[in-house]
Amino acid sequence: MKLTHQTRRLCAILLADVVGYSRMMAADEAGALAALNRHRAEEFDPVVAAHNGRIVKLMGDGALVEFASVVDAVNCAMAIQIAAVAREGLALRIGVNLGDIILQGDDIYGDGVNIAARLEPLAEPGGIAVSSVVHESVQGRVEAVFADCGLVEVKNIDRPVRVWRWHPDGATVAVPVPVRRSEGPSVAVLAFANMSGDPEQEYFADGIAEDIITDLSKVSGLTVIARNSSFAYKGRSVDIRAVGRELGVGHVLEGSVRRAGQRVRVTAQLIDAATGAHLWADRYDGDLADVFGVQDAVTLKIVEALKVRLTPTERASITRVATANLLAHDSFMRMRDLVLSRDLTPEKFRLGMEHGQRAIAMDPDYAQALGFMATFEWLDFLNGWSGDAPDIVAARANAMADRAVEIDPEEPFAIRAVAVAARFRGDYDTAESAGRKALSLNPDSGQALFTLGEIFCTSGRPAEAIPLLERAIRLEPGMYHLRLQFLGMAHFFLRNFETAALVFRERLHLVHDTDIGRAWLAATLGHLGETSEAQAVWADLMALKPDFRMALRLARFHYVRPEDPALVMEGLVKAGLPTGA
């Protein structure tokens, strides 16, 4: 039997149902159906789209919708119910949950959906019922206050669910929430096929696609999925519509590269992910020396096809050449292909950094290569892959970051390298300033978003970290398992322990051998009073890494607020774990 491809992820689920629809159908079947269709076309569907939701399916008088952001889901539910106050007719109940789902084809399944289905009937007519993890996640991020309705036993769920309710006519209402604008056009660039007949040229084809992604991510009016997610489809025969659905984009770019000696041919086609229709396609033939111009041409054609307006600064940034030395750029592409590989090993890392050193030797003013290397030196700092002492690696990373930004103060890789280096030193003023600038230069860089999110998380501003980390996950679903660690930490520091536990559990499901994920989950469970589970998680951790010490791992980061790492240790103590843990 052929197995259907499944994708798992954490998402927000909204389930809506019309109050008393069966009675309305019995009284006036045609009128009830017409009212339902009108409501969907004029109110429900447009509001869902404006809040970046996807309608998974319609179920008679109900609807199941998924969102990448729990804030979007709750704001959407509130906007729907606030709009209903201004008119007579259909009244909805809405349930919202945050949980794990399985995406299979167009449908979604799992406990996350089941709990949303149990919450919906608990809402008042015209109101919303949300789970405790949703309430924790949106506190201070939506303009409303929810009423605590206590623990409720729900069918087919093995433990009670704490329910929070909101209604637009109730005393808990703050101010109406404006409908958020849609994020606009979105695109994923798949790995370009290597048509050279030489497997050794794979890095070159990947490099062309990666350079196009880098340039597109500089366009503020366009959402661009990162390489580590879109390249996951490499070597697979894929349905473009499935790619669009799984990555949450409206458009997909695919292409191929043929390199023969000093000649290169690049073909590219932009496809509507909903219909599979080609919006634009072209072929470029020329000398290898013209490859930068080819990349610029493809990028600008995509922007034009998607009707996105470029600012003069964005256009200049796209067409700027990082190096005129083709051999240096070739070494840079080899380095990038190795260190960004999904199965990165110490050997690949060392080989990649050697290529980076060659790129800099051929062009000492190659700021992009210097910035890239400086950032990845910190992987060596954490993992000891080069064999050099940590202080030597740190000095090398700091020197390269400083040199990169000295050469080009407007190079996003260089600025981000400064931010990363400053965070590791505990210089959070410099880290934040550089992080913000890197993001302004490259607004759709998941790496830049994650870096600034890390900075806020460890500098005592976890509430500001959460939207940045969530946006990074949106742009880099392939890095989802790594981003979850800091998202869970941010919720932990806000004492959103139920949400933090949900996030850490999801990370453990995706990364079975994570020691730090287990440690944070154990501390979180300690604060929740789930001591038996916390001790079981810690036992698994000790079996995985007997010499693990939480205090040593916490010391790797310079926490601005001493109460943050203290809260972690407190959770372990509450769980009955050794104080020396």
Side-chain angles (χ1 to χ4, degrees), residues 120-136:
E120 174 268 312
L122 302 177
E124 299 174 82
I128 305 166
V130 305
S131 59
S132 186
V133 291
V134 170
H135 181 254
E136 282 190 346

Side-chain angles (χ1 to χ4, degrees), residues 20 46 49 53 56 126 144 147 264 268 271 276 288 293 295 310 361 365 378 436 455 464 476 499 524 547 557 567:
V56 177
V264 64
I271 304 167
L288 188 60
Q295 292 169 178
L310 284 177
D365 292 334
W378 293 108
R436 287 187 181 279
I455 290 166
E464 294 175 70
E476 295 188 308
T499 305
T524 306
D547 61 346
F557 295 96
L567 189 66

